[in-house]
Amino acid sequence: MVGVLEGFTTIAIIVAVGWLLADRRVLDDSAQVNLSRLAFHVASPALLLTVMQRTSLAAVLSANLVTSLISFTIVVGVYLVLARWRWAGGALGSRLIGSLSAAYVNAGNLGIPIALYVLGDVAWVAPTLLMQLLIITPVSMALFDSDARGERPTLGRSLRRMFSNPITLGAVAGLLIAVFDIHLPRVVAAPIDLLGAMAVPSMLVAFGISLRRGPRPATGRAAGHVWTIVVLKTLLMPAIAFGVGIALGLRGEALFAVVVTAALPTAQNIFTYAVRYRREVNLARDVIFVSTFVSVPVILAIAALFHGFAGV
């Protein structure tokens, strides 16, 4: 269980640095926006390229991947139904932020260390990482771009937007490098690795600034919306993953891995997207903040149950 606490503690410290810098007026709201832009346009694409080219493609066709995709789809569907009934749906970009907040897991900077220390192998989180990078992110980026331009999403427009977005381009470039077994020269690979290393710290520092400069998380009229999404993310999604995994024949460590991965909190990427497209920034920030804290006891409880009853 040390791995769970180590992963969350690392994130908390970097967020606290952002909060402190904002409190001391070293960084302000403009720094939050600029850090988010840096992460979106440069650092995240570089990180995705690096991750994709080093990830085994054998995970693509696994039952783990199918379980993650089905779980994501069901949770998004539940959220959209609730949003239409309770919060009148909202604009496309707003529904996208809500949907991603409810189902897009922190498989990178939290999932990787937890996979290593709790599951024993980083490969367990690879299917979810691939699913999010190669399917969910490109489609979401195309829809965000259409919403930002006030266009009605069509297949042609979505495809054009999909392959002109830096996030998508980074993931696709990494996949092509892996598929064709291309070895980048060190003079090219080293700068990409260095730029990619800025992605997570940039997102977390920007997030810390927003906690200091914005309203208190999960307060006021938006509290019900935030807590509904947190429940979907941290409780419903792992429960669905467990049921789907059982139905697909997963048992033991494989089932444990998909349930723990589904219980991970909302990814910081969603806050970056919210800032970039100016949609539901406070909602994304609050869900990430609350789900991160809530997911700690949830993941610890899942681990205890599996170790106690399944002998994992």
Side-chain angles (χ1 to χ4, degrees):
M1 301 308 98
V2 175
V4 177
L5 299 178
E6 284 184 351
F8 283 100
T9 301
T10 299
I11 285 179
I13 290 172
I14 301 176
V15 170
V17 169
W19 188 96
L20 183 61
L21 290 172
D23 184 65
R24 296 297 178 181
R25 301 180 186 272
V26 176
L27 299 177
D28 56 14
D29 292 336
S30 63
Q32 172 195 320
V33 173
N34 289 331
L35 283 169
S36 296
R37 286 175 178 170
L38 175 66
F40 184 87
H41 290 282
V42 180
S44 290
L47 177 62
L48 296 182
L49 188 152
T50 301
V51 170
M52 289 305 305
Q53 69 175 333
R54 296 175 181 172
T55 302
S56 171
L57 297 181
V60 172
L61 301 178
S62 68
N64 189 314
L65 176 76
V66 176
T67 302
S68 296
L69 183 57
I70 293 175
S71 302
F72 178 94
T73 303
I74 293 175
V75 172
V76 166
V78 172
Y79 170 77
L80 290 175
V81 170
L82 290 174
R84 185 175 181 82
W85 167 66
R86 182 66 179 82
W87 299 288
L92 174 60
S94 297
R95 296 198 303 273
L96 277 169
I97 291 297
S99 299
L100 293 173
S101 296
Y104 198 106
V105 307
N106 193 334
N109 52 312
L110 247 184
I112 289 174
I114 287 178
L116 179 62
Y117 293 110
V118 179
L119 305 175
D121 190 346
V122 173
W124 285 119
V125 79
T128 299
L129 197 59
L130 288 170
M131 180 270 291
Q132 292 187 160
L133 295 182
L134 297 182
I135 301 174
I136 306 304
T137 297
V139 172
S140 299
M141 292 301 99
L143 294 175
F144 273 127
D145 285 333
S146 293
D147 179 62
R149 289 172 170 78
E151 300 173 346
R152 182 181 179 84
T154 64
L155 180 60
R157 285 173 180 168
S158 296
L159 288 174
R160 287 197 300 272
R161 300 283 182 249
M162 188 181 299
F163 292 103
S164 63
N165 187 284
I167 297 288
T168 304
L169 290 176
V172 171
L175 176 64
L176 293 175
I177 289 172
V179 169
F180 293 102
D181 196 23
I182 299 172
H183 296 281
L184 297 177
R186 188 60 189 164
V187 69
V188 175
I192 293 175
D193 290 345
L194 200 57
L195 288 170
M198 293 193 301
V200 174
S202 297
M203 288 187 283
L204 294 178
V205 170
F207 185 70
I209 295 171
S210 74
L211 289 177
R212 177 62 183 86
R213 303 284 295 179
R216 290 175 56 189
T219 57
R221 291 184 298 176
H225 196 175
V226 171
W227 280 103
T228 298
I229 296 176
V230 170
V231 169
L232 294 178
K233 176 71 226 53
T234 59
L235 297 179
L236 180 63
M237 193 167 184
I240 292 173
F242 179 81
V244 173
I246 289 289
L248 293 178
L250 294 179
R251 298 293 185 274
E253 287 187 330
L255 182 62
F256 179 48
V258 297
V259 176
V260 168
T261 302
L264 289 169
T266 304
Q268 273 81 19
N269 308 47
I270 310 308
F271 176 74
T272 301
Y273 303 157
V275 173
R276 168 67 180 82
Y277 292 102
R278 299 180 182 178
R279 292 291 188 185
E280 302 294 346
V281 175
N282 286 337
L283 177 66
R285 183 203 67 165
D286 292 359
V287 171
I288 292 167
F289 180 80
V290 177
S291 67
T292 299
F293 280 97
V294 172
S295 65
V296 177
V298 171
I299 292 174
L300 290 174
I302 291 171
L305 288 172
F306 269 87
H307 280 79
F309 295 102
V312 175

